[in-house]
Amino acid sequence: MRSEELKAYALDLGVDLVGIASAESLSTMKPTDNPLRFMPQAKSVIVLGHRILRGSMRGVEEGTNFSSTYFYFGMEWPELEFLSKNVYEVACFLEANGFEAMPLAAHSVNGGRDMTFAMEPVAEAAGLGAVGKGGFFMTPQYGHRQRFALILTTAVLAGDQPRKVDLCQDCDACIKACPLGAFYTAADGSVKLNKQICATCPNGAVTYAAYQETDRYAALCGRTCMDVSSRKIVQQFRNPFRKRKVWQIDADGNHLLKTPGEVIQ
């Protein structure tokens, strides 16, 4: 089977992003992060991605609607319904051609009893993008607005080359936007995220059983990243996302408003 044939099939199903990593390209990953430990005989890893609708974050941005916009259309259904269906169909396609195919969701959904893996290094090895300063996986097409799942397969497919994606160059807007001070600079100069502080965020972050970590896409840091990076990505919109002062709640529960890009001391 050719990689081009499989990619065309996936895209025809409605997948927005598809990349392939060879088993060899993942050989330097930590064993506890590497999905190949679930299927050591796999020769290729197929990464499929669905965009997160910008409009699913509109209610959170306005502070008017959370559950019926972002929770369903931005978080739960894109990964657990829409993307899962596409992963299933691609796995069926591989099995119909005589190859083993093991589908994997990006997150554990059974209370953590599964062994987990690191999705971002696999997506990077598959040539789809790279992790930015704020910890979001960034793609040229959608910035941070996508969710991934993958398929381990015995099919030998030509892997994609990692690409340099730096949508964060000369930008730290997401870091400055955090009203809780959850980001900090480590001894090596890199930016880190205090996950315990992040988990308490009342600014659009979501804690949900299907996710190992706090979902930050629609949090203030994520929405700020989306607004700023929107001018650098392939998918363009006629109007800017951020239209007015931004609501936020600080660590003491105080409600604040700030203009886009402003840092309140």
Side-chain angles (χ1 to χ4, degrees):
M1 178 181 293
R2 295 181 299 110
S3 296
E4 293 77 12
E5 179 185 3
L6 183 135
K7 288 182 178 180
Y9 182 82
L11 292 170
D12 284 344
L13 291 173
V15 169
D16 293 309
L17 298 166
V18 56
I20 298 171
S22 66
E24 291 79 9
S25 69
L26 305 182
S27 61
T28 59
M29 287 184 65
K30 290 169 50 179
T32 54
D33 289 342
N34 197 328
L36 289 173
R37 64 192 172 128
F38 306 138
M39 186 179 174
Q41 69 271 30
K43 303 300 182 183
S44 308
V45 181
I46 304 161
V47 183
L48 304 179
H50 254 299
R51 78 184 82 177
I52 300 172
L53 293 174
R54 190 177 86 156
S56 70
M57 302 186 191
R58 173 56 56 197
V60 183
E61 175 72 6
E62 307 301 329
T64 57
N65 186 295
F66 290 72
S67 60
S68 64
T69 52
Y70 180 70
F71 185 87
Y72 290 110
F73 291 99
M75 190 177 73
E76 187 176 59
W77 290 346
E79 184 162 338
L80 302 182
E81 299 288 340
F82 310 141
L83 183 55
S84 295
K85 183 177 185 301
N86 292 148
V87 169
Y88 176 80
E89 294 292 346
V90 173
C92 286
F93 178 73
L94 287 162
E95 289 195 351
N97 282 274
F99 301 106
E100 294 283 343
M102 179 181 179
L104 281 174
H107 301 94
S108 172
V109 295
N110 68 348
R113 286 174 290 162
D114 281 342
M115 291 189 294
T116 58
F117 65 96
M119 175 62 76
E120 289 82 2
V122 182
E124 186 169 355
L128 295 176
V131 176
K133 285 182 184 178
F136 296 108
F137 192 89
M138 308 292 286
T139 68
Q141 293 88 346
Y142 307 110
H144 83 325
R145 292 186 298 109
Q146 58 269 313
R147 297 188 181 278
F148 294 116
L150 56 80
I151 301 170
L152 308 176
T153 180
T154 55
V156 178
L157 301 168
D160 294 296
Q161 293 297 314
R163 65 169 80 184
K164 183 178 180 181
V165 178
D166 192 1
L167 299 178
C168 304
Q169 186 174 4
D170 302 321
C171 180
D172 54 3
C174 65
I175 297 167
K176 290 180 178 179
C178 177
L180 306 184
F183 292 99
Y184 65 96
T185 302
D188 61 0
S190 62
V191 177
K192 302 293 185 181
L193 178 67
N194 185 315
K195 296 180 180 179
Q196 287 72 36
I197 294 176
C198 184
T200 69
C201 177
N203 294 280
V206 180
T207 300
Y208 182 53
Y211 297 88
Q212 300 169 43
E213 299 180 354
T214 301
D215 184 280
R216 298 188 297 125
Y217 291 103
L220 184 54
C221 60
R223 286 179 284 116
T224 299
C225 172
M226 181 181 70
D227 181 63
V228 174
S229 65
S230 64
R231 297 182 284 276
K232 306 175 185 179
I233 61 176
V234 174
Q235 188 183 43
Q236 293 291 306
F237 291 85
R238 297 184 181 184
N239 300 305
F241 176 74
R242 186 151 285 168
K243 305 178 186 300
R244 55 182 60 82
K245 288 187 176 183
V246 184
W247 68 272
Q248 64 175 262
I249 302 173
D250 66 14
D252 296 321
N254 298 312
H255 289 253
L256 305 172
L257 287 175
K258 71 173 187 176
T259 56
E262 176 190 359
V263 179
I264 294 180
Q265 303 298 332

